[in-house]
Coordinates of all heavy atoms in Angstrom, one line a residue:
D1 N -1.1 29.9 7.3 CA -1.1 31.0 6.3 C 0.0 30.9 5.2 O -0.3 31.0 4.0 CB -0.9 32.4 7.1 CG -2.1 32.6 8.0 OD1 -2.3 31.9 9.0 OD2 -2.8 33.6 7.7
V2 N 1.2 30.7 5.7 CA 2.3 30.7 4.7 C 2.2 29.5 3.8 O 2.3 29.6 2.6 CB 3.7 30.6 5.4 CG1 4.8 30.5 4.4 CG2 3.9 31.9 6.2
V3 N 1.8 28.3 4.3 CA 1.6 27.1 3.5 C 0.5 27.3 2.5 O 0.6 27.0 1.3 CB 1.3 25.9 4.4 CG1 0.9 24.7 3.6 CG2 2.5 25.5 5.2
S4 N -0.6 27.9 3.0 CA -1.8 28.1 2.1 C -1.4 29.1 0.9 O -1.8 28.8 -0.2 CB -2.9 28.7 2.8 OG -3.4 27.7 3.8
L5 N -0.6 30.1 1.2 CA -0.2 31.1 0.2 C 0.8 30.4 -0.7 O 0.7 30.5 -2.0 CB 0.4 32.3 0.8 CG 0.9 33.4 -0.1 CD1 -0.2 34.0 -0.9 CD2 1.6 34.5 0.7
T6 N 1.8 29.7 -0.2 CA 2.8 29.0 -1.0 C 2.2 28.0 -2.0 O 2.5 28.0 -3.2 CB 3.8 28.3 -0.1 OG1 4.4 29.3 0.7 CG2 4.9 27.6 -1.0
V7 N 1.2 27.2 -1.5 CA 0.6 26.2 -2.4 C -0.2 26.9 -3.5 O -0.1 26.5 -4.7 CB -0.3 25.3 -1.5 CG1 -1.2 24.5 -2.4 CG2 0.5 24.4 -0.7
R8 N -0.9 28.0 -3.2 CA -1.6 28.7 -4.2 C -0.6 29.3 -5.2 O -0.9 29.4 -6.4 CB -2.4 29.8 -3.6 CG -3.7 29.3 -2.8 CD -4.8 29.0 -3.8 NE -6.0 28.5 -3.0 CZ -7.2 28.7 -3.4 NH1 -7.4 29.2 -4.6 NH2 -8.2 28.2 -2.7
E9 N 0.5 29.8 -4.8 CA 1.5 30.4 -5.7 C 2.1 29.4 -6.6 O 2.5 29.7 -7.7 CB 2.7 31.0 -4.9 CG 2.2 32.3 -4.2 CD 3.3 32.9 -3.3 OE1 4.2 32.2 -2.9 OE2 3.2 34.1 -3.0
Y10 N 2.0 28.1 -6.3 CA 2.4 27.0 -7.2 C 1.3 26.6 -8.1 O 1.4 25.6 -8.9 CB 2.9 25.8 -6.4 CG 4.4 25.9 -6.1 CD1 4.9 26.6 -5.1 CD2 5.3 25.3 -7.0 CE1 6.2 26.7 -4.8 CE2 6.7 25.3 -6.7 CZ 7.1 26.0 -5.6 OH 8.5 26.1 -5.4
G11 N 0.2 27.4 -8.1 CA -0.9 27.1 -9.0 C -1.9 26.0 -8.6 O -2.7 25.5 -9.3
L12 N -1.7 25.5 -7.3 CA -2.5 24.4 -6.8 C -3.7 25.0 -6.1 O -3.6 26.0 -5.3 CB -1.7 23.6 -5.9 CG -0.5 22.9 -6.5 CD1 0.4 22.3 -5.4 CD2 -0.8 21.9 -7.5
V13 N -4.9 24.4 -6.2 CA -6.1 24.8 -5.5 C -6.4 23.7 -4.5 O -6.9 22.6 -4.9 CB -7.3 25.1 -6.4 CG1 -8.5 25.4 -5.6 CG2 -7.0 26.1 -7.4
P14 N -6.1 23.9 -3.2 CA -6.4 22.9 -2.2 C -7.9 22.6 -2.1 O -8.7 23.5 -2.3 CB -5.8 23.5 -0.9 CG -4.9 24.6 -1.3 CD -5.5 25.1 -2.6
L15 N -8.2 21.4 -1.7 CA -9.5 21.1 -1.3 C -10.0 22.0 -0.2 O -11.1 22.5 -0.2 CB -9.7 19.6 -0.7 CG -9.7 18.5 -1.7 CD1 -9.7 17.2 -0.9 CD2 -10.9 18.6 -2.6
L16 N -9.1 22.3 0.8 CA -9.4 23.1 1.9 C -8.1 23.8 2.4 O -7.1 23.2 2.4 CB -9.9 22.2 3.1 CG -10.1 22.9 4.4 CD1 -11.1 24.0 4.4 CD2 -10.5 21.9 5.5
S17 N -8.3 25.1 2.7 CA -7.2 25.8 3.4 C -7.7 26.4 4.7 O -8.8 26.9 4.7 CB -6.8 27.0 2.5 OG -6.2 26.6 1.3
V18 N -7.0 26.1 5.7 CA -7.3 26.6 7.1 C -6.2 27.6 7.5 O -5.0 27.3 7.5 CB -7.4 25.5 8.1 CG1 -7.8 26.0 9.5 CG2 -8.4 24.4 7.6
Y19 N -6.6 28.8 7.9 CA -5.7 29.8 8.2 C -6.2 30.7 9.3 O -7.4 30.7 9.6 CB -5.2 30.6 7.0 CG -6.2 31.7 6.6 CD1 -5.9 33.1 6.8 CD2 -7.4 31.4 6.0 CE1 -6.8 34.0 6.5 CE2 -8.3 32.4 5.6 CZ -8.0 33.7 5.8 OH -8.9 34.7 5.5
D20 N -5.3 31.5 10.0 CA -5.8 32.4 11.0 C -5.3 33.8 10.8 O -5.6 34.7 11.7 CB -5.4 31.9 12.4 CG -3.9 31.8 12.7 OD1 -3.1 32.3 11.8 OD2 -3.5 31.3 13.7
G21 N -4.6 34.1 9.8 CA -4.1 35.5 9.6 C -2.8 35.8 10.3 O -2.4 37.0 10.3
F22 N -2.2 34.9 10.9 CA -1.0 35.1 11.7 C 0.0 34.0 11.4 O -0.4 32.9 11.0 CB -1.2 35.1 13.2 CG -2.0 36.2 13.7 CD1 -3.4 36.2 13.6 CD2 -1.4 37.4 14.2 CE1 -4.2 37.3 14.0 CE2 -2.1 38.4 14.7 CZ -3.5 38.4 14.6
T23 N 1.3 34.3 11.5 CA 2.3 33.3 11.5 C 3.3 33.6 12.6 O 3.7 34.7 12.7 CB 3.0 33.2 10.1 OG1 3.8 32.0 10.1 CG2 3.8 34.4 9.7
E24 N 3.7 32.6 13.3 CA 4.6 32.7 14.5 C 4.1 33.9 15.3 O 4.9 34.8 15.7 CB 6.0 32.9 14.0 CG 6.5 31.6 13.3 CD 8.0 31.7 12.9 OE1 8.7 32.5 13.5 OE2 8.3 30.9 12.0

């Protein structure tokens, strides 16, 4: 989740983001 959000905040669109809605 945090990585997917951080990468998007840098203006990057990943090929794929995998997340579960939780961190730690």
Side-chain angles (χ1 to χ4, degrees):
D1 295 67
V2 174
V3 169
S4 296
L5 182 61
T6 301
V7 166
R8 289 282 182 154
E9 287 173 342
Y10 271 84
L12 302 170
V13 178
L15 281 175
L16 171 64
S17 294
V18 182
Y19 80 105
D20 65 6
F22 291 83
T23 189
E24 295 182 23

